[in-house]
Amino acid sequence: MVVEKLNSSSANEIQEDPLNSQGLHPDPEKLYYHDKIKLEILKKLVGQSIISVNQFDKELVLEICKFAALLEATEIAESHPLDGKIAITAFFEASTRTRLSFESAVLRLDGKIISIADGKSTGQAKGESLSDIGEMFNAYGDLVIVRHTKTNAIEEIMQNLRIPLINAGNGSGEHPTQALADWFAILKWKPELKGEVKDEDKIHLGILGTPGSMRAVKSFLKMSLLFKDVIKKVSIISELADPLGEELAQDIADSELDFVITNDINEVLSDLDVIYMNSIAFLGDSYKALDSRFKLNAESELKKDAVVLHPLARLEELSPVLDNTNHNLYFTQAHGAVFIRQALFISMLNRFNRLPENIPVIH
Ligand code: CP
């Protein structure tokens, strides 16, 4: 009997794709294959900071998502797009996904990272001002990604900052790159939402959460308004009577979208196509679980093709029972964030000329 020894390469071949575990895995190529990526639109990001979804229009979101899809489907690390660049991740508030996905994005493009994983390890613990910390960032890196518990922290850091900044979550303010990751997942799931769709193909969007006090939900809702032409209706399910606050309420009114606010999930759940959920509201240095009584689990009456998005971390509102179903778009959403962040780095640092020459879809 001949026993074939597994060498290391064949052992690698039989390993499962680590991203191909649970939930939906839409094909990123569908997002850009017949629709070339417009470099002149992406170049609007060169040298810019990303603070709020207010800075984006639909065209720019689409080109970022198409570029991210290309990066997801194509092996470009060998062209070292971020070679010689240093990104600073400055996290003054806890994070699992955002810091690690930004760092993974840089390292996979051959850039370098210096990191603050905890604000207590900085001069802030000795009373140093954020504007002074911002002045220091200028000398140490080419781009800085900041998360902070205070909503006005970004403004303070930017007082002396001369390198581009990405807001990775500021208190109850915004989380704009999360919204890009959210819409990247939706567009991979239904690429036809890039353009015009028939009335019957428009989506009913449900939000289980309180956009006025949850930054990820707020940024998602703001970005969703850019896609109002493909949305049939927005339903907000919240335990608060006023879950929006003044600015968002005005934005929704201006959009003229059909929308309802309810505290009864059963009124709308079975009609929703996309369900965006979250239960964590940030309140300065602490957080509060809001809306966690609205749970999705094995008993939830979801439409057959409905998909669930969640910026995570989850508490008890989203049962792991859904992880292994086709309703699970939240793992795709989290994994895709790496490519969104890569697309932003290449664009903001104008490293398009480092992409491989044989990529045919950019013009
Ligand atoms: N989505 C998100 O912001 O997750 P983290 O808090 O883990 O970064």
Side-chain angles (χ1 to χ4, degrees), residues 91 93-100 147 168 175 178 215-216 282 310-313 341:
F91 277 58
E93 185 205 282
S95 166
T96 304
R97 279 148 293 279
T98 312
R99 186 169 67 86
L100 293 181
R147 169 171 288 189
H175 195 351
Q178 177 65 52
R215 62 188 179 215
F282 289 90
H310 195 311
L312 307 174
R341 286 158 181 159

Side-chain angles (χ1 to χ4, degrees), residues 185-204:
I186 293 176
L187 293 169
K188 279 191 290 184
W189 166 65
K190 269 198 196 297
E192 61 271 27
L193 298 179
K194 283 192 306 177
E196 287 179 18
V197 294
K198 292 186 205 139
D199 281 351
E200 60 265 32
D201 295 326
K202 292 183 178 180
I203 55 172
H204 184 177

